[in-house]
Amino acid sequence: MTKISTYLGFCIRAGKIAFGINRIEAQKRAYLLIADGELGKNSFKVAVKEKERLNCPLIVTEKGLLGELAHRPTVKAVAILDENLAVAIVKEAQQKPQFKFYSGGEN
C-alpha cells in the first residue's frame, strides 16, 4: 500500500489531484476517481455520476483508508488528474483487496 500512498504524494506535490466531491465536479478531465468507504450515500451517487461524465474508473477503498493514504484524514474522495499516475495507481490497486473497482450497483 505504500506505493499508492507514494503515488498520491506525487499527485499532491504536482498539483494533479482534486480533493472532495465539489472539486471533482469542477474538473473537465480526470483519469481516476477514488472514494473512501466512509463517503456518504449522496456524495457517492455524485461520484458515480462523475465517473460516467469523466469516463474514468472509480475505486472504492476500505473505510478510512483514503485519508490515511493521502495523509489527510478528512478526505473522502479525490480525482487523479495525471494520466500516468492514475495508471500506476490502478495497476497497484488491482493487486490489493482493500480496493474495489466500482462497476455499478451496490459496492
Side-chain angles (χ1 to χ4, degrees):
M1 247 169 340
T2 54
K3 275 189 179 180
I4 292 177
S5 184
T6 301
Y7 294 146
L8 288 173
F10 289 155
C11 291
I12 292 166
R13 284 191 288 287
K16 297 289 186 177
I17 192 167
F19 291 103
I21 289 296
N22 292 338
R23 292 220 175 107
I24 291 171
E25 286 181 297
Q27 299 306 310
K28 292 190 181 348
R29 184 75 192 113
Y31 297 96
L32 174 64
L33 300 180
I34 306 174
D36 192 275
E38 291 179 346
L39 187 65
K41 209 172 211 175
N42 289 337
S43 294
F44 186 76
K45 286 179 186 175
V46 174
V48 170
K49 185 184 81 170
E50 291 303 305
K51 168 200 182 308
E52 299 301 325
R53 181 180 70 84
L54 296 165
N55 193 28
C56 67
L58 170 61
I59 296 175
V60 181
T61 70
E62 287 183 345
K63 291 184 177 188
L65 185 59
L66 179 58
E68 183 183 315
L69 291 172
H71 303 288
R72 287 176 164 79
T74 59
V75 169
K76 303 295 179 229
V78 299
I80 305 302
L81 310 177
D82 180 276
E83 187 173 13
N84 293 325
L85 287 167
V87 168
I89 291 169
V90 166
K91 187 176 176 185
E92 193 63 26
Q94 287 172 331
Q95 302 169 20
K96 308 282 185 194
Q98 301 91 329
F99 300 92
K100 306 239 182 303
F101 286 82
Y102 180 81
S103 58
E106 290 295 316
N107 218 18

